[in-house]
Amino acid sequence: MMSPAPNASPVATHRREQVLASLVHPDVHDLIVIGGGATGLGVALDAAARGLKVVLLESHDFGKGTSSRATKLLHGGVRYLAQGNLSLVREALHERTTLLRNAPHLAQPLPFLMPSYRFWEKTFYGIGLRLYDLLAGASGLGPTTTLGREAVQRLMPNLRRQGLRGGVRYWDAQFDDARLAIALARTAAAHGALLLNYCAVTGLIHEQGRVVGVQAEDLETGSVLQVRARCVINAAGVWVDRIRAMEGPLDARAAQPMVAASQGVHLVVDRHFLTGDHALIVPRTADGRVLFAVPWLGKVILGTTDTPRQDLAREPKAFEEEIAFILGEAGRYLSSAPQRSDVRSIWVGLRPLVKPQARQPGESTKTLSREHTVVTSSTGLVTVTGGKWTTYRAMAEDVLSHCVSRGLLPARVADTSTLMLQGAPARSVGLPPEAGGLAPVSLSAPPGLHLYGQEAVLLQGLPGADHLIAPGLSEAMVRFAVRHEFARTVEDVLARRSRLLFLDAAAAIQAAPAVAAILSQELGGEHGTRAGDHGRQAFEALAAGYLLEGRSGPGTLQPVAVR
């Protein structure tokens, strides 16, 4: 049976002004983390759990970049198994189980079907996926099984039947990436870390050739902060090279870019395109890429692409050929082919792949490793990049061990492998009731109170708990997002505290005025005014980029009753 994390209850209230006041004091902190994605938040949580004085600064919102735009899969990486990277697969499979245990309301097992249309595929992929099981060992979620044609059709009725010979079923997991990022931030704050979103690092403070802190700007007020620490960690994801450029003159090797960004595009369609409770994986499409169709929060995610990008926009756009590729390949395997007019939302994520020195401009990113890299420059700035969501916790341990070995941080110990994240139920999801378990609500189901874990009861005590703004989003959830989840804008609420923008952009645009009104009321003052009409207009402009032309009307998310 699981036990709740320390400080997980009652719900902590996060006051931005209190964090800012703490940072104004000329204290020297143990650690400053630059970047509020999965890697930076994991480092901040691990360090805070060790009792270190931690500051984390994020230029936008927590999880705004790559960490809210994943394919929603916690996996060892079947494609990396094919590349022979067994150590990465083994580590990821172990970390997958740890996260399922520590945040069962946000991460759950998911069965996958790999259909076979050629005589050799079932045997070939079956052997590979049994190796996947062997690497998982005790961390396995279920056995790989080969299935006949009728069994595959029964489990996935929407699969194209012509030429189907059977398939392979194996187990991985899915999660809500943005809400998990917020849970990491809240858990770090509960352990004493000072976290600020919308606070951009604009420079590094140097003394005697060493980085001893950062200069940052509070983007809400324009005020400038000088924050000092014994160690500064650059965990800015695909943007780590921008922070490294602030170091000043470096040797030629250190000045070379570390990141080769890769773009992954995702299209969201209604659930009727893929009924049942299994995800679809096509390991090798017409051009050698992998195709996923994943049931998630009442919709289906189709993806993903792997396209090199040189520009690092905060809101990257899909290329037309990527959209055509996903729709075309989905149409080859689903009995009803999705059209552009069926796409409810389209979103793009940038992956921070570690760039080998020999890579040539324009070279494919498909073969680049998802392993992470930690380097310390001559100024003492520690940079971490690469990796994947599934291994965020192991990455954090590695980064802090790196800092300790170089004398940048004191040697302290914390076991985050058993640290339950904020909101995690006190009883295990998935265990039978007689063993103290809770009845699970699948992450394939539409959004609702189950995503709040043990905090759902507390949320229900807030004003507006019975008033739905949109399916699965109540007034109380917006208030909870502002009071307890660091939300500052309409986008924060509708993109990451609620996932409505990622599920149905048209429905999110319809909900924006009501969300803006509550934000204005909750935040109050000048910022509340800005978060009102101005915030709504900014969000509507942003959300328009998540729509495809030819939409026939608003979305059809199924309502979830607020209980």
Side-chain angles (χ1 to χ4, degrees):
M1 183 182 299
M2 302 180 191
S3 59
N7 301 317
S9 182
V11 179
T13 299
H14 301 293
R15 297 294 183 188
R16 184 180 183 87
E17 58 270 20
Q18 293 174 355
V19 176
L20 285 166
S22 297
L23 294 180
V24 168
H25 294 294
D27 297 338
V28 176
H29 302 273
D30 291 311
L31 176 63
I32 296 172
V33 181
I34 304 172
T39 303
L41 291 168
V43 170
L45 174 55
D46 194 320
R50 299 182 190 206
L52 299 175
K53 294 174 62 178
V54 181
V55 174
L56 183 145
L57 303 177
E58 162 57 44
S59 60
H60 293 73
D61 186 28
F62 303 124
K64 158 75 174 176
T66 308
S67 296
S68 64
R69 300 164 185 270
T71 313
K72 319 309 177 195
L73 301 179
L74 291 171
H75 59 99
V78 173
R79 64 181 288 189
Y80 310 116
L81 182 67
Q83 294 173 4
N85 196 338
L86 301 187
S87 61
L88 175 61
V89 174
R90 186 183 295 109
E91 178 185 59
L93 289 171
H94 172 76
E95 289 300 317
R96 178 190 67 182
T97 300
T98 299
L99 189 46
L100 290 173
R101 180 175 65 243
N102 292 347
H105 57 312
L106 297 174
Q108 295 171 7
L110 178 69
F112 281 73
L113 270 179
M114 186 180 290
S116 300
Y117 288 91
R118 298 178 180 89
F119 74 91
W120 54 269
E121 288 179 323
K122 185 163 61 172
T123 301
F124 178 78
Y125 291 121
I127 292 172
L129 289 167
R130 287 188 176 90
L131 174 58
Y132 200 58
D133 290 349
L134 288 174
L135 289 172
S139 299
L141 303 178
T144 293
T145 54
T146 54
L147 304 171
R149 185 174 187 270
E150 291 184 359
V152 170
Q153 289 176 347
R154 184 173 62 253
L155 294 173
M156 193 167 283
N158 304 89
L159 201 60
R160 178 172 63 85
R161 298 188 176 193
Q162 183 180 1
L164 181 65
R165 294 172 177 267
V168 183
R169 177 171 66 176
Y170 73 99
W171 288 82
D172 252 320
Q174 66 177 164
F175 72 133
D176 186 333
D177 49 4
R179 287 202 60 80
L180 183 62
I182 301 305
L184 287 173
R186 297 179 63 216
T187 311
H191 283 81
L194 300 174
L195 298 94
L196 268 184
N197 50 359
Y198 299 101
C199 187
V201 170
T202 56
L204 301 175
I205 301 173
H206 295 80
E207 287 184 0
Q208 299 179 342
R210 303 286 293 178
V211 172
V212 296
V214 303
Q215 178 173 294
E217 179 185 355
D218 175 7
L219 298 182
E220 291 188 1
T221 65
S223 61
V224 175
L225 303 172
Q226 301 274 342
V227 187
R228 292 175 174 264
R230 296 176 178 85
C231 179
V232 178
I233 295 179
N234 172 15
V238 295
W239 297 279
V240 292
D241 289 321
R242 294 182 183 176
I243 302 299
R244 293 173 69 236
M246 298 177 184
E247 290 188 88
L250 298 170
D251 62 78
R253 182 174 181 274
Q256 294 181 6
M258 292 180 61
V259 170
S262 167
Q263 172 168 293
V265 174
H266 305 84
L267 308 180
V268 177
V269 297
D270 288 332
R271 193 73 166 87
H272 67 78
F273 285 101
L274 188 75
T275 57
D277 58 0
H278 286 62
L280 168 68
I281 177 173
V282 178
R284 190 172 181 83
T285 57
D287 69 348
R289 285 182 278 191
V290 176
L291 176 74
F292 291 102
V294 180
W296 186 72
L297 297 183
K299 295 290 185 182
V300 176
I301 299 172
L302 303 175
T304 178
T305 58
D306 196 340
T307 309
R309 287 300 294 254
Q310 300 300 319
D311 56 318
L312 302 179
R314 287 282 172 178
E315 287 289 341
K317 302 300 181 184
F319 296 117
E320 279 299 320
E321 53 266 34
E322 293 177 300
I323 298 171
F325 164 75
I326 293 174
L327 289 175
E329 290 299 310
R332 290 181 62 203
Y333 291 93
L334 298 177
S335 57
S336 177
Q339 306 299 314
R340 289 179 66 94
S341 59
D342 295 313
V343 176
R344 301 301 182 189
S345 183
I346 176 171
W347 35 274
V348 183
L350 297 177
R351 307 179 186 96
L353 304 179
V354 179
K355 186 174 186 177
Q357 299 302 319
R359 183 174 178 269
Q360 299 299 314
E363 184 179 340
S364 172
T365 56
K366 296 177 204 174
T367 59
L368 296 189
S369 173
R370 294 303 299 271
E371 291 183 284
H372 67 279
T373 292
V374 186
V375 297
T376 302
S377 72
S378 59
T379 67
L381 177 70
V382 178
T383 296
V384 54
T385 193
K388 50 192 287 190
W389 241 120
T390 311
T391 58
Y392 85 88
R393 194 198 65 82
M395 290 170 60
E397 285 186 341
D398 189 31
V399 171
L400 293 176
S401 295
H402 180 97
C403 295
V404 170
S405 69
R406 283 154 180 75
L408 299 172
L409 290 174
R412 297 185 184 177
V413 178
D415 183 10
T416 55
S417 68
T418 59
L419 179 60
M420 303 291 282
L421 300 186
Q422 199 85 15
R427 292 185 293 162
S428 177
V429 173
L431 285 179
E434 60 270 19
L438 297 172
V441 178
S442 172
L443 287 174
S444 299
L449 287 172
H450 55 280
L451 296 174
Y452 292 83
Q454 70 171 357
E455 295 176 331
V457 175
L458 298 170
L459 184 150
Q460 287 298 83
L462 297 179
D466 296 324
H467 181 218
L468 285 179
I469 296 172
L473 177 65
S474 68
E475 269 190 27
M477 291 173 181
V478 180
R479 299 185 193 281
F480 189 89
V482 176
R483 298 182 190 184
H484 307 298
E485 296 181 327
F486 305 100
R488 307 295 296 174
T489 70
V490 174
E491 180 193 342
D492 294 348
V493 174
L494 289 174
R496 289 172 290 278
R497 281 48 171 197
S498 159
R499 307 313 310 276
L500 190 56
L501 176 62
F502 283 69
L503 295 169
D504 193 317
I509 291 171
Q510 291 175 350
V515 171
I518 298 171
L519 275 173
S520 180
Q521 181 186 102
E522 285 288 323
L523 293 170
E526 183 180 348
H527 184 69
T529 301
R530 288 200 305 270
D533 285 342
H534 178 74
R536 174 185 59 78
Q537 293 169 8
F539 174 77
E540 289 172 351
L542 172 108
Y546 287 66
L547 291 167
L548 277 184
E549 303 86 356
R551 280 294 311 274
S552 58
T556 55
L557 278 174
Q558 294 302 309
V560 176
V562 177
R563 299 184 299 273

